[in-house]
Amino acid sequence: QMQLVESGGGLVQAGDSLTLSCAASGRTCSSNSMGWFRRAPGKGREFVATISRNGGVRYYADSVKGRFAISRDNAKNAVYLQMNSLKLEDTAIYYCAARPSTTSTRESDFDSWGQGTTVTVSS
C-alpha cells in the first residue's frame, strides 16, 4: 500500500477556486493510477476524478466535468485536484486514492486511501 496525505481543503465561497494536493509515499508513485473521491455530509463516498500512471488518461464525474482538473507530478510524488467554480454541493471530505494498475472509477479498485481533507463551500 501507499501512504497518502491530502492537504489544501478549507472554507470558500461559491464560485471560488481551490487546489487540493496529495503527497504519496511507499510504492513508486508512477506505478499507480490515482484518484480523488469525496463524501458529502450524509452521503456515501463517490468518484470525482482519476488519472493514469503517466497522466495521459483522465476521467471525471459528470458533476465536476469542466470545473475540476486532476493532474500529477511523478517526480514530486504528488497528485492535485484543481477545483474551479465551486458550488455548495461540492462541500465534502475529499480523499486521495491509489491503485497499482490502470485507471478505474470504482472505489473498490483502489487499495490505498488518505485521511481526507474537508472542503466547505458557502453561499
Side-chain angles (χ1 to χ4, degrees):
Q1 290 190 333
M2 297 184 73
Q3 291 72 52
L4 304 172
V5 180
E6 304 94 337
S7 61
L11 173 63
V12 296
Q13 292 189 321
D16 284 353
S17 297
L18 199 62
T19 299
L20 305 183
S21 299
C22 173
S25 61
R27 294 193 301 249
T28 303
C29 189
S30 60
S31 66
N32 290 266
S33 58
M34 303 295 292
W36 286 96
F37 291 76
R38 67 185 182 186
R39 187 193 305 274
K43 296 186 178 181
R45 192 153 56 184
E46 65 174 3
F47 166 75
V48 175
T50 188
I51 187 167
S52 62
R53 287 170 285 193
N54 66 1
V57 177
R58 308 175 195 199
Y59 295 112
Y60 298 93
D62 288 342
S63 58
V64 306
K65 202 172 294 183
R67 299 189 298 121
F68 289 13
I70 188 171
S71 61
R72 66 189 299 161
D73 186 337
N74 287 336
K76 295 182 178 180
N77 292 327
V79 181
Y80 308 98
L81 186 68
Q82 173 69 43
M83 304 185 295
N84 300 320
S85 303
L86 282 162
K87 303 177 180 180
L88 298 179
E89 52 265 41
D90 294 320
T91 294
I93 301 173
Y94 284 74
Y95 299 90
C96 178
R99 161 177 162 81
S101 185
T102 56
T103 53
S104 173
T105 62
R106 296 187 302 185
E107 179 181 352
S108 59
D109 286 341
F110 290 79
D111 70 347
S112 300
W113 293 86
Q115 294 298 307
T117 185
T118 300
V119 174
T120 303
V121 184
S122 64
S123 58

